[in-house]
Amino acid sequence: MDVGTEAYEQIEKVNRRNQMLVQQLNDSPHTRPEIREFVSQITNEKIDETTEIRLPFYTDFGQNLHIGKNVYISSCSMFVDLGGIYIGDNVLIGPNVTITSVNHRTNPDNRRHLDFESVYIHDNAWLGANATVTPGTIIGENAIVAAGAVVTKNVPANTVVGGVPARIIKTIKE
């Protein structure tokens, strides 16, 4: 996506609206249903009543964030979702987790332009506090990302990863 194009301006229009909603959401206490309603407006998708989102909640765009059922999102998590973030059912997201689906180009002349790569977090995954998930990665079903890990490669189902960059620590047997 090139900055300064008509397509980019359309994104900025949605972003301006959603940033006002994010600010309103985070400016005062809300009930769980009110939080889900705000996030539903931001994502343009109904957030299931089984999902719990703790404030503050951050997203840079919102409409490419897809949240499953029975998801728990802890406070201060950041979703850079312009490239698409897909969160399955029964996912746990710890505090201060960052999930990003956008990157900048390496050529200095084009660095402000954006590249998109969707992130997929499959059912029953658990992202520990302060984990970072980078563009284009897939977190497999039942996988656990340890606190503070930086995920730069796909995480297979039923595995635990940790470290910077994240590496497989063990396989989950149950």
Side-chain angles (χ1 to χ4, degrees), residues 25-58:
L25 173 64
N26 292 326
D27 271 353
S28 60
H30 297 282
T31 64
R32 288 180 184 172
E34 289 171 339
I35 292 169
R36 285 192 299 272
E37 179 55 34
F38 265 103
V39 177
S40 293
Q41 289 178 48
I42 292 165
T43 62
N44 203 31
E45 293 181 358
K46 183 178 181 346
I47 302 300
D48 192 80
E49 65 183 21
T50 60
T51 290
E52 181 178 350
I53 300 169
R54 295 291 177 104
L55 300 180
F57 169 87
Y58 301 108

Coordinates of all heavy atoms in Angstrom, one line a residue, residues 25-58:
L25 N -13.7 4.5 24.1 CA -13.7 3.3 24.8 C -12.7 3.3 26.0 O -13.1 2.9 27.1 CB -13.3 2.1 23.9 CG -13.1 0.7 24.5 CD1 -14.4 0.2 25.0 CD2 -12.6 -0.2 23.4
N26 N -11.5 3.8 25.8 CA -10.5 3.8 26.8 C -10.6 5.0 27.8 O -9.9 4.9 28.8 CB -9.1 3.8 26.2 CG -8.9 2.4 25.5 OD1 -9.4 1.4 25.9 ND2 -8.2 2.5 24.4
D27 N -11.4 6.0 27.6 CA -11.5 7.1 28.4 C -12.2 7.0 29.7 O -12.1 7.8 30.6 CB -12.0 8.3 27.6 CG -11.0 9.1 26.9 OD1 -9.8 8.8 27.1 OD2 -11.3 10.0 26.1
S28 N -13.1 6.0 29.8 CA -13.9 5.8 31.0 C -14.2 4.4 31.2 O -14.1 3.6 30.3 CB -15.1 6.7 31.0 OG -15.9 6.3 29.9
P29 N -14.7 4.0 32.4 CA -15.1 2.6 32.7 C -16.3 2.3 31.9 O -17.2 3.1 31.6 CB -15.4 2.6 34.2 CG -14.8 3.9 34.7 CD -14.7 4.8 33.6
H30 N -16.4 1.0 31.5 CA -17.5 0.5 30.8 C -17.8 -0.9 31.3 O -16.9 -1.6 31.7 CB -17.2 0.4 29.2 CG -17.0 1.7 28.6 ND1 -18.0 2.6 28.3 CD2 -15.8 2.3 28.2 CE1 -17.5 3.7 27.8 NE2 -16.2 3.6 27.7
T31 N -19.1 -1.3 31.1 CA -19.4 -2.7 31.4 C -18.9 -3.6 30.3 O -18.6 -3.2 29.2 CB -21.0 -2.9 31.5 OG1 -21.5 -2.6 30.2 CG2 -21.6 -1.9 32.6
R32 N -18.9 -4.9 30.6 CA -18.4 -5.9 29.5 C -19.3 -5.8 28.3 O -18.7 -5.8 27.2 CB -18.4 -7.3 30.1 CG -17.3 -7.5 31.1 CD -17.2 -8.9 31.6 NE -16.2 -9.0 32.6 CZ -16.0 -10.0 33.4 NH1 -16.8 -11.1 33.3 NH2 -15.0 -10.1 34.2
P33 N -20.6 -5.7 28.4 CA -21.4 -5.5 27.2 C -21.1 -4.2 26.4 O -21.1 -4.2 25.2 CB -22.9 -5.6 27.7 CG -22.8 -6.3 29.0 CD -21.5 -6.0 29.6
E34 N -20.9 -3.2 27.1 CA -20.5 -1.9 26.5 C -19.2 -2.0 25.8 O -19.0 -1.5 24.6 CB -20.5 -0.8 27.5 CG -21.8 -0.4 28.1 CD -21.7 0.6 29.2 OE1 -20.7 0.7 29.9 OE2 -22.7 1.3 29.5
I35 N -18.2 -2.7 26.4 CA -16.9 -2.9 25.7 C -17.1 -3.6 24.4 O -16.6 -3.3 23.4 CB -15.9 -3.6 26.7 CG1 -15.6 -2.6 27.8 CG2 -14.7 -4.0 25.9 CD1 -14.8 -3.3 29.0
R36 N -17.9 -4.7 24.5 CA -18.1 -5.5 23.3 C -18.8 -4.7 22.2 O -18.5 -4.9 21.0 CB -18.9 -6.8 23.6 CG -18.1 -7.9 24.3 CD -18.8 -9.2 24.4 NE -20.0 -9.1 25.2 CZ -20.1 -9.3 26.5 NH1 -19.1 -9.5 27.2 NH2 -21.3 -9.2 27.1
E37 N -19.7 -3.8 22.6 CA -20.4 -3.0 21.6 C -19.5 -2.0 21.0 O -19.5 -1.8 19.7 CB -21.6 -2.3 22.3 CG -22.3 -1.3 21.3 CD -22.9 -2.0 20.1 OE1 -23.3 -3.2 20.2 OE2 -22.9 -1.4 19.0
F38 N -18.6 -1.4 21.7 CA -17.6 -0.5 21.2 C -16.7 -1.2 20.2 O -16.5 -0.8 19.1 CB -16.7 0.1 22.3 CG -17.1 1.5 22.7 CD1 -17.8 1.6 23.9 CD2 -16.9 2.6 22.0 CE1 -18.2 2.9 24.4 CE2 -17.3 3.9 22.4 CZ -17.9 4.0 23.7
V39 N -16.2 -2.4 20.6 CA -15.3 -3.2 19.8 C -16.0 -3.7 18.5 O -15.4 -3.7 17.4 CB -14.6 -4.3 20.6 CG1 -13.7 -5.1 19.6 CG2 -13.7 -3.7 21.7
S40 N -17.3 -4.0 18.7 CA -18.1 -4.4 17.5 C -18.2 -3.3 16.5 O -18.1 -3.5 15.3 CB -19.5 -4.8 17.9 OG -19.5 -6.0 18.7
Q41 N -18.3 -2.0 17.0 CA -18.4 -0.9 16.1 C -17.0 -0.7 15.4 O -16.9 -0.4 14.2 CB -18.7 0.4 16.8 CG -20.2 0.4 17.3 CD -20.5 1.7 18.1 OE1 -20.1 2.8 17.7 NE2 -21.1 1.5 19.2
I42 N -15.9 -0.9 16.2 CA -14.6 -0.7 15.6 C -14.3 -1.7 14.6 O -13.7 -1.4 13.5 CB -13.6 -0.7 16.8 CG1 -13.7 0.5 17.7 CG2 -12.1 -0.8 16.3 CD1 -13.1 0.4 19.0
T43 N -14.6 -3.0 14.8 CA -14.3 -4.1 13.9 C -15.3 -4.2 12.8 O -15.1 -4.9 11.8 CB -14.2 -5.4 14.7 OG1 -15.4 -5.7 15.3 CG2 -13.0 -5.4 15.7
N44 N -16.5 -3.6 13.0 CA -17.6 -3.8 12.1 C -18.1 -5.3 12.0 O -18.6 -5.7 11.0 CB -17.3 -3.3 10.7 CG -18.5 -3.0 9.9 OD1 -19.5 -2.5 10.4 ND2 -18.4 -3.1 8.6
E45 N -17.9 -6.0 13.1 CA -18.3 -7.4 13.3 C -18.8 -7.5 14.8 O -18.2 -6.9 15.7 CB -17.2 -8.4 13.1 CG -16.7 -8.5 11.7 CD -15.6 -9.5 11.6 OE1 -15.2 -10.1 12.6 OE2 -15.1 -9.7 10.4
K46 N -19.9 -8.3 15.0 CA -20.4 -8.5 16.3 C -19.4 -9.3 17.1 O -19.0 -10.4 16.7 CB -21.8 -9.2 16.3 CG -22.4 -9.4 17.6 CD -23.7 -10.1 17.6 CE -24.4 -10.3 18.9 NZ -23.8 -10.2 20.1
I47 N -19.1 -8.8 18.3 CA -18.2 -9.5 19.2 C -19.1 -10.4 20.1 O -20.1 -9.9 20.7 CB -17.4 -8.5 20.1 CG1 -16.5 -7.6 19.2 CG2 -16.6 -9.3 21.1 CD1 -15.5 -8.3 18.3
D48 N -18.8 -11.7 20.1 CA -19.7 -12.6 20.8 C -19.7 -12.3 22.3 O -18.7 -11.9 22.9 CB -19.1 -14.1 20.6 CG -20.1 -15.1 21.0 OD1 -21.1 -15.4 20.3 OD2 -19.9 -15.6 22.2
E49 N -20.8 -12.6 22.9 CA -21.0 -12.3 24.3 C -20.1 -13.2 25.2 O -19.9 -12.8 26.4 CB -22.5 -12.5 24.8 CG -23.0 -13.9 24.7 CD -24.4 -14.1 25.0 OE1 -25.2 -13.1 25.0 OE2 -24.8 -15.2 25.3
T50 N -19.5 -14.2 24.7 CA -18.6 -15.0 25.5 C -17.2 -14.5 25.5 O -16.3 -15.0 26.2 CB -18.5 -16.5 24.9 OG1 -18.1 -16.4 23.6 CG2 -19.9 -17.2 25.0
T51 N -16.9 -13.4 24.7 CA -15.6 -12.8 24.6 C -15.5 -11.7 25.7 O -16.4 -10.9 25.8 CB -15.3 -12.3 23.2 OG1 -15.2 -13.5 22.4 CG2 -14.1 -11.5 23.1
E52 N -14.3 -11.7 26.3 CA -14.0 -10.6 27.3 C -12.8 -9.9 26.9 O -11.8 -10.4 26.6 CB -13.8 -11.3 28.7 CG -13.5 -10.3 29.8 CD -13.3 -10.9 31.1 OE1 -13.6 -12.1 31.3 OE2 -12.9 -10.1 32.0
I53 N -13.0 -8.5 26.9 CA -11.9 -7.6 26.5 C -11.7 -6.7 27.6 O -12.6 -6.0 28.1 CB -12.2 -6.9 25.2 CG1 -12.5 -7.9 24.1 CG2 -11.1 -5.9 24.9 CD1 -13.0 -7.3 22.8
R54 N -10.4 -6.6 28.1 CA -10.1 -5.7 29.2 C -9.5 -4.4 28.7 O -8.8 -4.5 27.7 CB -9.0 -6.4 30.2 CG -9.6 -7.6 30.9 CD -10.6 -7.1 31.9 NE -11.2 -8.3 32.6 CZ -10.9 -8.6 33.9 NH1 -10.0 -8.0 34.5 NH2 -11.5 -9.6 34.4
L55 N -9.8 -3.3 29.3 CA -9.3 -2.0 28.9 C -8.0 -1.7 29.5 O -7.7 -2.2 30.6 CB -10.3 -1.0 29.2 CG -11.7 -1.1 28.5 CD1 -12.6 0.0 28.9 CD2 -11.5 -1.3 27.0
P56 N -7.1 -0.9 28.9 CA -7.3 -0.3 27.6 C -7.1 -1.3 26.5 O -6.4 -2.2 26.6 CB -6.3 0.9 27.5 CG -5.3 0.5 28.5 CD -5.9 -0.4 29.6
F57 N -7.8 -1.0 25.4 CA -7.8 -1.8 24.2 C -7.3 -0.9 23.0 O -7.7 0.2 22.9 CB -9.2 -2.3 23.9 CG -9.3 -3.0 22.5 CD1 -9.1 -4.3 22.3 CD2 -9.8 -2.2 21.4 CE1 -9.3 -4.9 21.1 CE2 -10.0 -2.8 20.2 CZ -9.7 -4.2 20.0
Y58 N -6.3 -1.4 22.2 CA -5.7 -0.6 21.2 C -5.8 -1.3 19.8 O -5.5 -2.5 19.8 CB -4.3 -0.3 21.5 CG -4.1 0.5 22.8 CD1 -3.5 -0.1 23.9 CD2 -4.5 1.8 22.9 CE1 -3.4 0.5 25.1 CE2 -4.3 2.5 24.1 CZ -3.8 1.8 25.2 OH -3.6 2.5 26.4

